[in-house]
Amino acid sequence: MKSSSDHQEKRNYDDFNEFFWSPNCLQYNYRNAADSPDGFPDSSPDRDSKTLPPIATALASSPKTFLEKRSWFRGILALRRVLEWHLVTFFLLAVFCFARQLIWTPVYTCQVASGVFWLYNLLHLTWALMEVWVVYPGIDLTATALIGFILTIMTRFLILIYQSMYLLWTYGDSGGNTLGREEDSAFWWWQYIWLSVLCMTPYVLTALMQAWPATTSWLYTSKSDYLQSFMNILFPLSRLYVAKEMHDSFRKTTAYLFFWSTLIAWKLYFSYIFEVNVMVLPTLEITDDYVNFPGTSFYRMLSLLILRWMPQFLVYSIDMSIWYSLWQAFAGTWVGFNDLLGDVRDMDGIRSNFVRAPEAFCAKLLSPDAGSRRGSIASFVSDTEGRPATIKTRRSFLGAGDTRLQLYVNELLGLRIQKWVMFSEAWNEVIRHFREEDIISHRERDFLMFSRFEGFSQAVYLPAFQTAGVVENALNEIERPTDFTSDNQIFACITNSTIMRTAVSETWELSNFVLVHLLGSVHRNDIVEVSNKIIKWSADGTLGKHIQINKLRQVMNNLTGLVKILEKGLSRRKPVDKNTAAGSHAAPKAQAPPPIQRNPSASEVKKSSSFSSFSGMGEVPIDLTFQGSRVFETQRVKKIQDVVLLDAMRDQVKDKLRALCISIKLLVDTAPDGGSSECSDVSDRITFMLNMENGFFWNDEYASDQLDDASRDIVLKQVINKIHGLIACHPDDVEPRSKEARRRLTFFVNSLFMGIPDAPSIQDMLSWNVMTPYYSEDVTYSKADLERQTDALGVSTLLYLQTLFKHDWSNFLERMDITDDSKIWSKKNIEETRIWASIRAQTLSRTVSGMMYYEKALRLLANLERIDDDTTDDLLGEKFGYIVACQVYGNMKKNQDSKADDIERLMHRFPHMRVAYIDTVKHGRSGASTFYSVLVKSDGAGTIQEVYRVRLAGNPVLGEGKPENQNHAIIFSRGELVQTIDMNQEGYFEEALKMRNALQEFPLHRGPLPMTILGLREHIFTGSVSSLANYMALQETSFVTLGQRVLNNPLCIRLHYGHPDVFDKLFFMTRGGISKSSKGINLSEDIFAGYNNVVRGGAVGFREYIQVGKGRDVGMSQIYKFEAKLSQGAAEQSLSRDIYRIGQRLDFCRLFSLYFGGIGHYFSNVLTVLTIYVVCYLLVILAIFDIEKIGERSITPEGTIQMLLGGLGLLQTFPLFATLGVERGWWASALEIFQVFATGGPLHFMFHIQTKAFYMAQTILVGGAKYRATGRGFVTQHTPFDEQYRFFAASHLYLGVELAAALILVAVYSSAGQYCGRTWSLWLASGSFLAAPFWFNPLTFEWKTVTSDYNSWIQWMRGTSGGPSKSWEMWWTDENSYYHKLNFSSKLFFVCKAMVYVVLAEGIYQSDIFEPDQNLVSPYFKMKYVLTFFGILVFFLMLYVVYANTLSYVTRRTLGNLITVSILLTIGTILKEDTNFIRYLISAYYLIGALCMIGLLFGAAKFVKYFYLVHDLIVGHIMFFFIFLLAAMQFV
């Protein structure tokens, strides 16, 4: 397992596992003879008579069961049907194109097209021979397998021979004598057809079964011995225990058949027109020249045909991925809309759907039997002391009588009101968590939360963000000129809108409450009388007759002004002690005259104990509005008091209140029925209020006391804040500023209307555990981490986070009540500061905090369903658990690593969190070690308690670290399901509420196979960090949303691409576990869980109504490492048994889905770069050898290949456009795409096409796949040029320079024209490879930085020791060490590349470019002397290099500069005197490149190293030339 040998030379976990598939395993004891699990000898009766050898001896000598040969052929064989389809369809399209051009008869066309049968047989014979190659040597074949191979190869070989002869005779002379038979060509063609039918019959039957994959599963699982014997011979896969059932329902099969039928039809049509048909005429012209000009070489003709057709076939092979992207966008959009994704996209969408949310919330997220435990609203809502708030204990602002309308309303509260209360409780809890996370401020929290006031008519009051501006809209509606006379007509716009009805009702009730408490007991009765009178008018339907509608706005404006003053002033007001107020603030007052006596009006109505009710909120469309005021003057102003108490707020409030009362009086006085006794009574009461000498308006001391009391009344201030948001704020003002808060709220509300399964009771829900693998990443940032400055700019991590999350930081300071930033490191605040920063980075703290929301969510749901606390605690331990698999925690403790302390703090913060680690106990100084899997937790008292300790057979980490970490910890999970969460993920409280529902997908799944993996949606939260992070986030968003959505529906091939998927633990624990961990081959361990699931008969689901956050890499080097790791993982997948078995067993359409939606993406990247390379050198060769035109015909270049490479590549942005369009809107999506293009996004994406291609090709040819730690930190510093060069030279920079040089040669030699049209996409690729690393590197073009980078790079180039980071020589040796490890077949690829260089060198040398006219130019120096002098300089240079270290500094520098300048001058002289040497120099460049390549392959690296040194010096200086140029342009 730990051997450094390649896969085919060592056994892995799969080989050991599959040993138990053979009967030989029954000949061994499953444990050692001397040991037993409990430590006692094995004394079972059946073992006494016969002692079997232990299984360890068998495993030590067991053979491999699958050879992972490192070759492209291994992957081709696994996915052979994909290549086969492309070859066959390309052949048929070519036949039809030639038939159309040459006007073949249908019969002849069929004869030519029938060659496809020969091609099929040849391909299947090739596959059979490759099957033998991949099992030899090393695999012990059974007799059945051996017979099957021999039978298949011999049969197909014989048939191929006869097919070839029949075809030759078919196209021979008609009527000729063949084998003694006088037959025409038709006879032989029919013989060919009948023979082809024999070998095509199995293929046709297999093709027919693709439309009904269940038939294939039936064949593989049949109990018939005869059928199984036949299958074992012809279909080796049927001998295995896996890959038996891999089908889906007929409905789903029909869906993905339709998807691929339409896609394939369009692809064939497009390729027929633009890729194949355009090659027919050039092919005919080339062959015509060969036929009509006897001197034309056949091999020349054949070479030209291959050169011209090869790029076409390569494009034909990769353009399917482009069309797949387009179809994926169409299907993903349809499925997204069908699933109601994007119905709620913004805050306006929330407002529009908010009234439906409580019903959906209670129907989906609460269990059906929860209503029986809910009780009444009176029992659910608690008073301020925590007691159930009964009707009698509720306080009333109108009196304590039990006959008030509130009593009646609360007794009649029904289910609908209970749903609003339930939803409000959950909603408020979500908002509270938003505040705890600091993504909203206190003010925003108040605007977003439901309000609840004891003793009020309504159980809950809508959040201000929902009702802000609604009253204004209601006023606008009722002020429109109409002929309406009745209340039902006038106020129909309000009564027909739930939100307007509620907003008006809340405004009426809360404003009355404010006025009663503000004006106090003196005016209480008058306010009640006026209110009751208006209520009576509203109930009678005569409100429109008693008030002037157009005066409502004046009342509303004055009320708004009053509320603004109160909201701002009461929070700042400091109440004055009444005992000292007179002495300290005012002079002695004169005694106030007795109050004015008022005679009761005869029309006075009986007082009502309430003025508003929940049930009548739509029947009170009153908007109390007031605008402007006149000072009401009387003759008694001077008599009220002799000395005025100084109180600015009081005076402002009095003015606004007076204006409000006057506007209400005018509202009644000018009404149509303003002269009625009721209107007069209202007007009189208001007049009386305004003139009461001991009242609020004339008694300053009383008014100040009332305001002081108001500032002490918490409930009153809450009501004022509520009504302020209701009537005094614009809708935009009450929305959260945080994009994250808006995103999460919109997704949560939208998800309530999606297809969420109904929630079971908490007792009946499925149990699950969350598991997070952790190694040594950051846990919680320390103060030193946050203050550490990472570059010369002095940007610390904390400063970076404060800048990046500016509003969050302000919210944090507000929450912690910190006014001085220096206080953040105080003993009180330091821990919170560390947590604030850590949960905004990719740390373990962020992950744990998010995952523990599951516990909080379950507690809330239990509370809503009225489950008592003790039962809830028991259920939580039973239904949920969280395990952090930290394999090195024990070593951290021993080494006193601060990360261990941080992990323990997390355990203390979250008592239900567990940590699993591997403990190593040594027996003596040099004794053996014993390994344990240990589970620990916090005991709640500040110490860590060990829960379990399981002894292991040995060190469990033999393969890849991450899957081994998960495998050792999974034994501690206790749930039926397990959710895997990466260390760079986070959870959200509002999403945790839906987890109980998501788990129901497992038992509710309907299909022929059980659901065993449930995929969940991911949100990439690192998109705001940088432009690169945004590109990565958009790329990942497209894949983790739309990509997986389409793979799930309609393609039915969604596997497991990473966390946060949920696994059926019982299914996977009995089938190999959730992670394969063999070294190298299982580098991408996530995908192998999906492969294992498919071949073992499991189904995968994917749901988007719940999401989990995920971080991605944010820097150029980090992304490069990440893409390299994925590409190497894909390369290893292509060698694995998993992809081979799936590729052979899946039906054709699902195989296409697997290929283009998964591993084929990396193959397509390799083919794309190969196509760029081939096309570029094809253009060069055609131009240099002057064969761009065919014969003497005119050149008509179209640039088809180049247009396809560049233009069609833009179509791959459609999935991203569709993803964003569904969820954000099409215009927002278009703006996002435009921003990506404007900031250089295409450079990034094209750059990483080469990253994927390079590492996949290198891994398949050489190996070396390994996990690459990216760090996941923030990138705030500039990366030096030499480091960038080391990173990207081999993979990108060399290729970019090579392509640029070739394209310059095309410009020099080509005579075809349309240079830009033919090469723009190639230049784009070359520019991307060269420019992207520096374009996205901070401060690259700062002059000071450029000069520093240049000096560092020169120093690195000259270095000879210190490792690859200090010396070019050591870096180059390490970078090219793999060449000598290549096998012969891999070396052939590089030999072919060297031969291309040789061909170019020969062509350039033989050309006449730069050839001077000797008649016009005479050399000033004889070239033989100049060349001799140059040779002497080179000799001195070699001596200088050898003896430089022995010379003094001055001598060494002087000689070095002198020799360098002399060589440069000599080279310039040579090129000037004889321009042929320019051509010779270019030719030598390619010839030396070929020789250096051969030298690397065959052990001459030390001889070619200096040529590469010169090459790198030239490449580096060319790049620095442009960097210096761009840096200098900043001074212009």
Side-chain angles (χ1 to χ4, degrees), residues 435 438-446 737 811 814:
R435 186 63 193 93
D438 296 316
I439 61 176
I440 59 174
S441 63
H442 286 333
R443 184 172 184 269
E444 292 170 334
R445 174 198 60 194
D446 295 338
R737 293 176 298 175
N811 298 337
E814 180 187 31

Side-chain angles (χ1 to χ4, degrees), residues 917-1094:
Y917 69 95
I918 298 172
D919 189 23
T920 305
V921 179
K922 287 188 176 182
H923 304 289
R925 292 187 177 181
S926 59
S929 298
T930 303
F931 297 88
Y932 298 89
S933 284
V934 184
L935 186 73
V936 296
K937 69 172 184 178
S938 170
D939 64 355
T943 59
I944 301 302
Q945 174 185 347
E946 186 173 298
V947 183
Y948 296 110
R949 174 175 290 264
V950 179
R951 181 177 178 179
L952 305 174
N955 187 356
V957 184
L958 300 177
E960 295 293 339
K962 179 180 174 181
E964 295 281 28
N965 195 5
Q966 293 182 143
N967 288 337
H968 101 87
I970 198 172
I971 61 173
F972 299 121
S973 63
R974 290 294 178 265
E976 301 157 271
L977 308 171
V978 61
Q979 182 182 19
T980 51
I981 293 292
D982 262 341
M983 215 286 299
N984 61 336
Q985 294 188 276
E986 69 170 343
Y988 309 117
F989 176 78
E990 68 275 13
E991 301 304 311
L993 294 171
K994 296 174 281 188
M995 193 62 189
R996 174 173 59 164
N997 306 74
L999 300 181
Q1000 286 301 107
E1001 296 285 355
F1002 287 90
L1004 294 178
H1005 176 69
R1006 296 292 180 267
L1009 302 176
M1011 177 184 287
T1012 49
I1013 296 179
L1014 176 64
L1016 304 181
R1017 175 192 175 97
E1018 292 177 319
H1019 163 70
I1020 309 302
F1021 57 71
T1022 50
S1024 62
V1025 174
S1026 64
S1027 57
L1028 283 177
N1030 185 45
Y1031 303 153
M1032 195 68 177
L1034 292 174
Q1035 174 182 312
E1036 285 294 301
T1037 297
S1038 177
F1039 174 71
V1040 301
T1041 54
L1042 183 135
Q1044 296 198 41
R1045 182 191 309 158
V1046 174
L1047 288 175
N1048 178 67
N1049 181 23
L1051 300 184
C1052 300
I1053 197 60
R1054 196 264 180 191
L1055 301 176
H1056 171 56
Y1057 300 99
H1059 308 148
D1061 287 7
V1062 184
F1063 294 85
D1064 183 336
K1065 193 186 79 172
L1066 299 180
F1067 179 91
F1068 277 91
M1069 287 290 285
T1070 56
R1071 291 166 176 83
I1074 63 173
S1075 299
K1076 284 194 173 186
S1077 53
S1078 297
K1079 196 73 173 177
I1081 195 71
N1082 297 139
L1083 177 64
S1084 298
E1085 81 289 342
D1086 296 334
I1087 190 65
F1088 283 95
Y1091 291 155
N1092 191 43
N1093 180 68
V1094 170

Side-chain angles (χ1 to χ4, degrees), residues 218 327 489 491 582 737 768 820 1021 1073 1157 1244 1252 1255 1328 1413:
W218 175 80
W327 255 248
Q489 293 175 322
F491 304 115
R737 293 176 298 175
W768 93 105
D820 183 1
F1021 57 71
H1244 167 79
K1252 299 169 189 175
Y1255 278 101
S1328 300
D1413 189 343

Side-chain angles (χ1 to χ4, degrees), residues 1164-1416:
S1164 294
N1165 282 302
V1166 173
L1167 289 173
T1168 299
V1169 175
L1170 177 62
T1171 303
I1172 292 173
Y1173 197 85
V1174 169
V1175 169
C1176 188
Y1177 277 104
L1178 170 64
L1179 293 176
V1180 175
I1181 291 173
L1182 292 179
I1184 289 177
F1185 290 95
D1186 195 23
I1187 51 178
E1188 290 178 308
K1189 59 183 179 179
I1190 302 173
E1192 299 302 323
R1193 301 172 182 86
S1194 60
I1195 304 174
T1196 56
E1198 298 179 359
T1200 305
I1201 297 296
Q1202 291 75 23
M1203 297 299 180
L1204 290 175
L1205 285 173
L1208 292 182
L1210 298 178
L1211 294 178
Q1212 291 194 320
T1213 60
F1214 266 77
L1216 176 60
F1217 178 70
T1219 301
L1220 300 178
V1222 169
E1223 300 178 23
R1224 302 185 193 175
W1226 301 111
W1227 177 246
S1229 176
L1231 290 178
E1232 186 71 46
I1233 298 296
F1234 173 79
Q1235 183 180 358
V1236 169
F1237 276 83
T1239 54
L1243 295 179
H1244 167 79
F1245 293 116
M1246 292 196 69
F1247 180 86
H1248 285 296
I1249 287 177
Q1250 167 59 8
T1251 303
K1252 299 169 189 175
F1254 175 80
Y1255 278 101
M1256 183 170 189
Q1258 185 188 61
T1259 303
I1260 289 179
L1261 295 175
V1262 183
K1266 61 182 179 180
Y1267 179 81
R1268 297 171 184 267
T1270 60
R1272 294 172 179 167
F1274 298 106
V1275 179
T1276 60
Q1277 73 276 6
H1278 169 78
T1279 304
F1281 180 90
D1282 59 303
E1283 184 176 340
Q1284 295 274 72
Y1285 197 89
R1286 288 192 297 273
F1287 254 106
F1288 306 116
S1291 58
H1292 293 82
L1293 302 183
Y1294 291 163
L1295 179 59
V1297 170
E1298 186 178 347
L1299 292 176
L1303 291 172
I1304 292 173
L1305 290 178
V1306 173
V1308 172
Y1309 281 95
S1310 177
S1311 58
Q1314 297 184 10
Y1315 177 77
C1316 294
R1318 292 187 299 142
T1319 61
W1320 71 272
S1321 61
L1322 301 176
W1323 274 113
L1324 179 61
S1326 175
S1328 300
F1329 300 159
L1330 292 172
F1334 311 103
W1335 179 263
F1336 297 108
N1337 188 21
L1339 304 177
T1340 291
F1341 304 111
E1342 291 289 334
W1343 184 264
K1344 184 178 180 181
T1345 303
V1346 175
T1347 55
S1348 175
D1349 281 356
Y1350 180 76
N1351 293 329
S1352 299
W1353 179 71
I1354 291 296
Q1355 185 178 0
W1356 174 70
M1357 292 293 296
R1358 292 175 175 176
T1360 58
S1361 61
S1365 62
K1366 299 295 183 181
S1367 166
W1368 174 91
E1369 182 178 355
M1370 300 187 71
W1371 166 80
W1372 184 88
T1373 302
D1374 182 68
E1375 190 73 21
N1376 296 281
S1377 60
Y1378 69 88
Y1379 279 102
H1380 73 277
K1381 301 178 183 178
L1382 295 172
N1383 55 43
F1384 180 74
S1385 60
S1386 298
K1387 288 181 178 180
L1388 287 179
F1389 170 79
F1390 295 99
V1391 171
C1392 293
K1393 185 177 180 180
M1395 293 304 299
V1396 173
Y1397 293 162
V1398 172
V1399 171
L1400 286 179
E1402 174 64 17
I1404 295 171
Y1405 181 80
Q1406 295 296 338
S1407 66
D1408 57 359
I1409 196 74
F1410 299 118
E1411 185 172 351
D1413 189 343
Q1414 299 296 335
N1415 296 324
L1416 298 178

Side-chain angles (χ1 to χ4, degrees), residues 121 129 332 353 399 403 416 724 758 844 898 1355 1517:
N121 195 28
L129 293 172
N353 294 275
T403 60
R416 181 174 181 275
H724 177 265
D758 293 337
L844 183 63
S898 61
Q1355 185 178 0
H1517 279 90

